[in-house]
Amino acid sequence: MDPEYAVIGRVARRIWAVAMKNRYGASERSQKLKYHIQTSGRSLHAQEMDFNDIRTTLQALIAIYDNCNSLHTNAYDEAITTPTEESVRRAMAIQLIINREWGVAAGCWGRWKPATSGKIQEESMNYEHTKHDGFTRSSASTPSSTRTVPGLPARSSWRA
């Protein structure tokens, strides 16, 4: 399981909020990103299918604690076939057990909280900003440390 899963929602919400606020002047409500998570079919193993429920459960917990708004849990046998009725029941049971026995569920936090800034978020913001900034040829000769994009803070103020 990739460690990035633990912060992907926070990074996405931060990118969304900054872009909506600074690029479009969006209201506070419009800056609140809602998103859906599906557990990773890529991490399911055909050789040891019996352990796929454990992988799915861990991914579901990470998604829920990262404040996703909706969640789809993969069935343990999706690595090799269309899910059987029993495997679908088990995939649903993962969410029901997390909800009923742990008291948490996707979207249960009720309100969105702005993410605090961390190193991974800052690096992701820098990467996305660089990837999508659309500089013209004339700005290509300008040192990157002096470039700015209208509406976004200077890079030095949000780089870790």
Side-chain angles (χ1 to χ4, degrees), residues 7 28 35 39 42-43 46 55-56 60 62 79 95 101 107-109 117 120-121 123-124 133 136 143 150 158:
V7 296
E28 184 178 329
Y35 65 98
T39 57
R42 174 176 73 98
S43 69
R55 292 179 183 93
T56 298
I62 288 170
Q95 290 191 49
E101 295 181 18
C108 72
W109 301 99
S117 188
I120 294 173
Q121 288 177 316
E123 289 174 1
S124 297
D133 61 7
T136 62
W158 51 273

Side-chain angles (χ1 to χ4, degrees), residues 73-148:
T73 47
N74 285 78
Y76 71 91
D77 58 356
E78 284 189 61
I80 61 166
T81 187
T82 303
T84 62
E85 187 174 329
E86 187 241 345
S87 70
V88 170
R89 187 182 66 77
R90 287 172 57 169
M92 286 296 302
I94 290 170
Q95 290 191 49
L96 292 173
I97 290 168
I98 291 171
N99 177 256
R100 292 183 181 156
E101 295 181 18
W102 284 50
V104 295
C108 72
W109 301 99
R111 59 182 93 88
W112 175 86
K113 297 175 188 168
T116 55
S117 188
K119 184 174 181 175
I120 294 173
Q121 288 177 316
E122 298 303 330
E123 289 174 1
S124 297
M125 288 292 292
N126 185 39
Y127 171 77
E128 290 297 323
H129 177 69
T130 303
K131 186 169 90 174
H132 298 290
D133 61 7
F135 290 126
T136 62
R137 282 185 194 265
S138 62
S139 66
S141 62
T142 307
S144 62
S145 61
T146 61
R147 293 181 192 167
T148 59

Side-chain angles (χ1 to χ4, degrees), residues 9-19 33 112 115-118 121-122 125 153 157-158:
R10 283 175 278 176
V11 170
R13 283 192 300 276
R14 171 113 168 124
I15 291 169
W16 178 265
V18 169
L33 175 68
W112 175 86
T116 55
S117 188
Q121 288 177 316
E122 298 303 330
M125 288 292 292
S157 68
W158 51 273

